[in-house]
Amino acid sequence: MKLKVLKSDITTIKVDVIVNAANTSLLGGGGVDGAIHRKGGSEILEACRKIRATQGKCNPGKAVITTAGNLPTKYVIHTVGPVWNNRGEDKESLLANCYTNALRLAIENDIKTIAFPNISTRIYKFPKKLAAKIAIETVRSFNQEQIEEVIFVCFDEENYNLYDKLLRI
């Protein structure tokens, strides 16, 4: 599986699936979540409402998949990252689970290309350097041939530089 990093807006990336750094309600919010819901349109919100009606909220570390609505991708995988309020193994493993569960859903849906945002690093205040390390290590260790390319899409220069440096190691 090929890994790369881009500095871009994830809602413009043309891959099979983009990952949304969602909140537990799955009903949109700020940051990446809000941008995906706004640009994707009402189809994504309606799909999320149906998921909530059957399973309830989405807990941290878990992931669900929906249509992509008006986005240039087939699907959106919504995953809920942990809120960083103190250092703890549980927060790190929850963040790793976001990537693992998204990749599992991708395989179940015959996905070849996937784009991840910087999960939990903005509003949820997960330390960016640690989050980048967890993201890259988790994806590298997943080791699945079906997924051909994983793109880490960074909105800001700081995250881009962190991912770029780690991917070169």
Side-chain angles (χ1 to χ4, degrees):
M1 143 180 20
K2 180 180 169 188
L3 276 60
K4 73 179 191 180
V5 61
L6 292 176
K7 184 173 178 271
S8 188
D9 174 351
I10 199 166
T11 65
T12 65
I13 304 297
K14 293 178 181 151
V15 289
D16 293 336
V17 66
I18 62 171
V19 176
N20 179 16
N23 61 48
T24 58
S25 77
L26 297 175
L27 302 179
V32 171
D33 193 18
I36 286 172
H37 275 271
R38 280 189 303 278
K39 289 188 178 182
S42 61
E43 285 181 53
I44 295 174
L45 181 58
E46 188 55 38
C48 286
R49 284 185 175 140
K50 287 179 183 173
I51 290 168
R52 281 187 52 97
T54 58
Q55 78 171 38
K57 67 180 184 174
C58 187
N59 292 320
K62 303 295 183 187
V64 297
I65 191 167
T66 67
T67 180
N70 301 323
L71 297 169
T73 183
K74 294 177 189 172
Y75 304 104
V76 175
I77 292 176
H78 308 263
T79 189
V80 179
V83 175
W84 182 269
N85 48 17
N86 60 18
R87 183 172 175 88
E89 291 293 320
D90 62 322
K91 305 294 183 185
E92 293 176 34
S93 63
L94 284 172
L95 184 59
N97 287 342
C98 290
Y99 291 92
T100 300
N101 288 325
L103 290 166
R104 286 183 183 147
L105 273 176
I107 288 168
E108 289 171 17
N109 289 277
D110 200 30
I111 301 300
K112 304 288 184 215
T113 56
I114 184 170
F116 284 101
N118 309 120
I119 300 169
S120 283
T121 62
R122 195 165 160 224
I123 296 170
Y124 289 179
K125 302 198 183 307
F126 209 99
K128 291 179 180 183
K129 187 174 182 178
L130 179 58
K133 179 179 181 281
I134 291 168
I136 291 169
E137 286 178 359
T138 303
V139 170
R140 278 186 173 150
S141 69
F142 193 75
N143 196 18
Q144 177 55 250
E145 292 179 20
Q146 179 183 318
I147 299 173
E148 296 169 1
E149 184 176 53
V150 174
I151 304 170
F152 296 102
V153 182
C154 303
F155 195 71
D156 63 68
E157 194 71 29
E158 181 183 3
N159 270 314
Y160 175 82
N161 290 333
L162 288 168
Y163 278 79
D164 187 51
K165 181 178 178 182
L166 289 170
L167 286 172
R168 292 174 189 270
I169 297 172

